[in-house]
Amino acid sequence: MKRFDRWTHYMHERPERPAYLLIADLIHDAIESGDFQPRDRLPPLRDLAVKLSLNYTTVTRGYAEARKRGLIDSRPGTGSFIRGKVPSIPPRNGSSYEMTMNLPVEPDSPDLVAQIRQGALNLFAHKDLFPLLRYHDFGGNHDDKEAGCRWLGRRLPAVAPERLLVCPGIHSVLVGLLTLLARRGGEICVGSLVYPGLKAIAAQLDITLHALECDGDGPMPRSFENACQTGQIRALYLNPTINNPTTLTLPLRRREKLADVALRYSVPIIEDDAYGMLPSASLPAMAELVPELTWYITGLSKCFGAGLRIAWVHAPTVRQGQHLAGAMRALTVMSSPFTNALAAQWINDGTAEKMLLAVREEAVLRQRMAARLLRNYSLQADAEGFHLWLRLPHRQGWNPSDVAVKLRHQGVSAVSSAAFCTDNNPPDALRLCLGGPNSREQCEGMLKNVADMLEYPAWLSTVAL
């Protein structure tokens, strides 16, 4: 109790401020100075009241104010403990919107940044810019498609340029495909947890998403076949590699079984392979297993930067690609020639490859950090991905949506399972993003916030929205 001797002196010097607020102020100052460390135990209320010559009610209000500020935890039967400094990590050069998006890691590599910049300078120094300011046919020019074939060749062994369209982002491709495939009614089969953007598109277009039963390997073939037998299914949507949000990569056997059902019922497959470039070793794409039915989509948003709005879609046939181009032209006119040219420049000069490797390397380090700091909890992650799926402990009063909002207030990029759910039965889970503009040190601070919340759930109630 000796450390509290100066508290008495300080409180006598500030008679104008209510004593209970001074107690909270002094706890805050002691944490800031390092006099209090996380997990330090505070004296019982009655002991501190005697020490400071205050009544019991005043000290009780002081501890309550400290809890309100997120400085301490109080648990019946065990007393009050210092919670410690909670770093607030707002998104750097971003917005609160970014806290709900799954952003790739931004590697801290001055050499790579210089190479990105030099590639852009080389492009604008040597290219005639007026053609980039004109209207283009939808789908990209010859150079754009050639670069796209080179990039997609990492995942597909036989990419045909006449079946390839260059598009302004994966999201826009999904809008075009759902418009094309389900414009005459019908349903799109999806897993029980799916990319929220697809849910938004379906709601906007008044398209029904048919949630398939899932197990630990993804959507179940029997459930898919039962849906196909209704005659109402227009396509199967899959995000088969490092799924958003669950991080699951569909095993080969499951891919083969789903492909078999699709073939037997002639149901097109929309393969959203946004994360497909991240793993250093990958399984065959659905477009390899059933090329005559699969629309294969990938882009640079998850392995280069979300602001680089470019994607490629490889159509099942040339004619089907032409149909999609017509739908996309009506929706978006064309993808930006400047964006297409920049992407081609960075693919051709090797910058995109170096960026992919840097993102993968940093993601591996952050996943190891997450595995260490959250080792006591139910965590699902891919070693080379930059998001993870966290199952919340079963505690009364915990709502994943509330937890996600309060974590975002603390700088943690968290999204509730409800945002992804298609079967009205969301699990008690969150998707956490380890990427974005945050440094590795900031990422560690965010993970520690999550660990504190899980270990000391009373902390959750002290965090103001």
Side-chain angles (χ1 to χ4, degrees), residues 105 358-368 383-386:
V105 174
V359 168
R360 182 187 295 156
E361 180 180 357
E362 181 64 24
V364 167
L365 294 173
R366 296 190 185 197
Q367 288 289 2
R368 289 174 182 168
E384 295 175 315
F386 48 77

Side-chain angles (χ1 to χ4, degrees), residues 106-351:
E106 294 182 5
D108 183 13
S109 172
D111 290 343
L112 181 55
V113 171
Q115 184 169 338
I116 293 171
R117 181 180 293 110
Q118 190 59 51
L121 292 173
N122 289 342
L123 172 70
F124 294 121
H126 299 104
K127 198 172 186 70
D128 183 358
L129 297 184
F130 276 107
L132 300 181
L133 296 171
R134 299 171 188 152
Y135 284 111
H136 289 208
D137 289 336
F138 188 88
N141 60 30
H142 175 270
D143 292 342
D144 301 333
K145 291 190 175 186
E146 188 176 69
C149 287
R150 183 174 293 110
W151 189 250
L152 266 66
R154 303 170 60 88
R155 289 286 286 120
L156 297 179
V159 182
E162 64 274 14
R163 291 161 54 192
L164 189 70
L165 297 175
V166 186
C167 306
I170 291 176
H171 192 91
S172 69
V173 177
L174 295 175
V175 174
L177 277 174
L178 264 62
T179 301
L180 180 68
L181 297 175
R183 59 187 172 187
R184 294 184 178 88
E187 303 175 354
I188 305 295
C189 280
V190 297
S192 57
L193 295 165
V194 74
Y195 163 54
L198 189 77
K199 292 175 61 178
I201 294 167
Q204 185 68 28
L205 299 178
D206 197 23
I207 293 172
T208 300
L209 298 181
H210 182 104
L212 300 176
E213 293 180 49
C214 296
D215 60 13
D217 288 338
M220 298 175 67
R222 172 55 64 183
S223 180
F224 179 36
E225 182 161 14
N226 291 342
C228 291
Q229 288 172 350
T230 67
Q232 297 299 310
I233 303 305
R234 299 294 177 260
L236 167 66
Y237 169 86
L238 293 174
N239 174 207
T241 302
I242 313 184
N243 172 267
N244 178 19
T246 67
T247 78
L248 172 70
T249 292
L250 269 60
L252 178 58
R253 186 61 178 155
R254 179 56 54 90
R255 295 176 188 230
E256 291 172 340
K257 288 183 177 181
L258 290 170
D260 179 65
V261 175
L263 278 169
R264 284 191 282 114
Y265 291 90
S266 297
V267 172
I269 298 172
I270 301 171
E271 183 174 13
D272 180 354
D273 209 26
Y275 303 87
M277 299 294 175
L278 292 176
S280 51
S282 56
L283 296 171
M286 298 299 294
E288 289 185 69
L289 300 176
V290 55
E292 61 269 44
L293 287 175
T294 303
W295 298 86
Y296 179 84
I297 315 165
T298 194
L300 293 180
S301 64
K302 303 303 181 185
C303 56
F304 198 109
L308 192 59
R309 304 307 300 161
I310 186 170
W312 301 272
V313 55
H314 195 253
T317 67
V318 174
R319 185 167 181 80
Q320 287 176 299
Q322 292 170 345
H323 288 163
L324 178 60
M328 295 289 293
R329 187 180 298 112
L331 293 167
T332 65
V333 180
M334 64 180 184
S335 55
S336 166
F338 277 95
T339 301
N340 296 352
L342 278 170
Q345 170 71 32
W346 287 324
I347 290 171
N348 293 332
D349 69 13
T351 301

